[in-house]
Amino acid sequence: MPISPVAIYVRISNDKTGEQIGVDDQIVWLREYIEDRPDLVEGDIYSDNDRSAWNPKVERPEYERLMGDLRAGKWRYVLCVHSSRLVRSREQRLDVIRLGERIGLTVMQVDGASYDLATETGRGGFDKAGSENTSDSELKSLRIRRAHLRQARKGRYMGGQIPYGFRKRVEVVNNRVVTSYEVHPEQADVIREACRRIRGGEALYRVVRDFRERDIPSPRGKAWSHGSLRYTLMRPNLCGLRTYKGNVIAEHADFPPILALLEWEEMCAAINSAGFRHATGNQVKRLVAGFLYCGSCGTKMKLDGQRKRYTCPHPANGGRKDCARRVGVSEDPVTSLVEDLLGAYLERREWEREHAASTVAAQIAVLDGRLADIQASVVKGALHPDDAGPMATGVRAERAKLVDQQMREDRNRVTLDGGEALRLWTLPEPASGRGSDEWQEWLAARRQILTTLVSGIVIRPTEQKAPRLDVSRVWVVWRDHSQGAP
């Protein structure tokens, strides 16, 4: 009797203890099966512990290694407890069937079922058994999603890692263990500080750098990064809102709010603002970086550090294909010209004028009243929570747009101490040299003035026989002005 080597594949979706008891039990079971079969001999063992075969986002390294060995012709037999341990999705089942048909693979189970994928009968049986497994997984997934949505509409927390800013509280009430969640005082102070500083106009990367210097740990106990702080601050549960698949659908019943709704929305609008700097630890080293735009297509110009020249980027680097004339300008001349223009503008103090009152604040107050009415109707039982969720979501979306508009108007209402701004602008460059802390503070002060007064600087294309850079090529768009010129 010919003896055939057989590959063993074991898998368990959820190992709660981390001790691999499930996969170890499967290995013992499969080895007993091989011992009772004199025509089989044990080959390599492929074990994926705590790995789902249904979730396409979960990687199964041992399954991939097994498939690679099968393609290389190492095995013709694979043994598993059940075919659902090997594959559970339609896509992977089709991959195994196609590969098995080509190499003559046989998949065996401990219950005696065997599928010779080189034959029509074997492929049909393997596909039928797998279809039942897939259907069971889809129904189970649907039930879980419906349960999550039902709990989300009630504002309930569905488990997982406790969000930053909160902590679990366990107490015994009437001989029953009751779990609830409360604000974590130290972490909540970190969130409130970041919110206050960002609403005050401070860049996110500066807050991150300060937290790192003060050794304030992130949710994972490591140093804060730009992404981790941004993600933490943008979570709606900080102001008591419950989301499902990214949409706010209810007030949170488990987590008390750390921030007021208006504070959180203003902070999010500041973070998402086009003028808000999203850089991480990299410090800006040029005065006009990020302010220059191509006068031909409107694309933001980029600096070529080696050539010391700002240019409209090529389409491969984010530029527009329909740009008729890609504008370029040397760094030093345009920086000197902007310095002169801003100095003259500060001396004229043209921004100091009365501004029309904004109606946005009144519109936001009206929407706040509508949200309060919706919540009151739910409490009184006049409105079902399933109906209240979409209504509140629509109002909040409209409110978020108004908050963003209000912040844009506030940025355009230039409030600047003219004398102090002129003093800072005309300060000479520190002798400590580029890159020093003193020099960086000097540059940051000048960029803050530039940001306060200017929305953008458009560089027009060069005319024939015209100098490379003159005043006529530079068009400054001043804040709170529909258009501007030097």
Side-chain angles (χ1 to χ4, degrees), residues 86-98:
L86 183 62
V87 290
R88 207 166 183 91
S89 68
R90 291 186 175 86
E91 294 79 4
Q92 289 186 344
R93 186 169 67 251
L94 182 59
D95 291 341
V96 172
I97 290 175
R98 287 174 174 171

Side-chain angles (χ1 to χ4, degrees), residues 119-135:
T119 66
E120 292 80 357
T121 303
R123 293 193 296 272
F126 183 78
D127 187 47
K128 181 179 180 181
S131 297
E132 295 174 355
N133 298 328
T134 301
S135 179

Side-chain angles (χ1 to χ4, degrees), residues 208-230:
V208 171
R209 185 173 61 182
D210 180 53
F211 284 177
R212 293 172 70 96
E213 292 175 351
R214 290 158 55 187
D215 292 328
I216 298 176
S218 70
R220 297 185 178 274
K222 302 179 181 179
W224 285 99
S225 66
H226 178 276
S228 62
L229 184 57
R230 176 184 172 88

Side-chain angles (χ1 to χ4, degrees), residues 19-38:
E19 298 177 359
Q20 303 192 54
I21 296 175
V23 292
D24 288 344
D25 288 345
Q26 292 182 34
I27 292 174
V28 171
W29 196 357
L30 296 175
R31 280 175 170 168
E32 291 175 351
Y33 177 85
I34 293 175
E35 290 176 358
D36 293 337
R37 291 280 302 269

Side-chain angles (χ1 to χ4, degrees), residues 60-284:
R60 290 193 289 159
E62 287 295 278
Y63 169 79
E64 296 298 336
R65 186 168 72 91
L66 171 62
M67 293 295 286
D69 289 345
L70 290 174
R71 295 187 186 97
K74 187 174 182 178
W75 312 109
R76 290 294 180 266
Y77 295 89
V78 173
L79 176 63
C80 49
V81 173
H82 192 273
S83 62
S84 63
R85 299 299 89 199
L86 183 62
V87 290
R88 207 166 183 91
S89 68
R90 291 186 175 86
E91 294 79 4
Q92 289 186 344
R93 186 169 67 251
L94 182 59
D95 291 341
V96 172
I97 290 175
R98 287 174 174 171
L99 177 61
E101 182 180 6
R102 188 173 74 249
I103 67 174
L105 175 66
T106 298
V107 178
M108 298 183 294
Q109 301 178 173
V110 293
D111 62 0
S114 179
Y115 305 102
D116 183 358
L117 302 185
T119 66
E120 292 80 357
T121 303
R123 293 193 296 272
F126 183 78
D127 187 47
K128 181 179 180 181
S131 297
E132 295 174 355
N133 298 328
T134 301
S135 179
D136 291 341
S137 295
E138 290 177 339
L139 292 174
K140 181 179 179 181
S141 177
L142 177 61
R143 290 195 299 268
I144 293 174
R145 289 199 305 271
R146 286 179 174 175
H148 283 184
L149 177 59
R150 185 166 56 251
Q151 291 295 93
R153 285 174 173 168
K154 295 178 182 179
R156 310 304 306 186
Y157 176 56
M158 289 301 296
Q161 182 179 358
I162 300 175
Y164 186 84
F166 303 94
R167 64 185 180 187
K168 182 185 293 186
R169 180 176 62 187
V170 180
E171 54 187 347
V172 178
V173 179
N174 297 328
N175 296 325
R176 294 181 57 189
V177 177
V178 178
T179 301
S180 59
Y181 301 91
E182 62 183 5
V183 173
H184 191 296
E186 291 80 10
Q187 295 179 358
D189 288 343
V190 173
I191 292 172
R192 295 189 184 104
E193 177 186 344
C195 176
R196 183 185 70 255
R197 294 168 66 174
I198 291 172
R199 290 175 64 215
E202 189 168 353
L204 182 63
Y205 85 96
R206 291 188 177 274
V207 179
V208 171
R209 185 173 61 182
D210 180 53
F211 284 177
R212 293 172 70 96
E213 292 175 351
R214 290 158 55 187
D215 292 328
I216 298 176
S218 70
R220 297 185 178 274
K222 302 179 181 179
W224 285 99
S225 66
H226 178 276
S228 62
L229 184 57
R230 176 184 172 88
Y231 173 80
T232 298
L233 297 178
M234 297 284 282
R235 289 185 292 105
N237 59 12
L238 294 181
C239 58
L241 299 178
R242 179 66 164 92
T243 60
Y244 180 77
K245 294 187 179 297
N247 298 317
V248 176
I249 62 173
E251 303 288 335
H252 218 305
D254 290 330
F255 295 123
I258 296 176
L259 302 174
L261 178 60
L262 180 59
E263 292 177 337
W264 179 77
E265 289 181 336
E266 289 179 350
M267 176 184 63
C268 293
I271 293 175
N272 289 326
S273 170
F276 193 83
R277 177 164 172 76
H278 290 270
T280 54
N282 296 328
Q283 295 178 328
V284 181

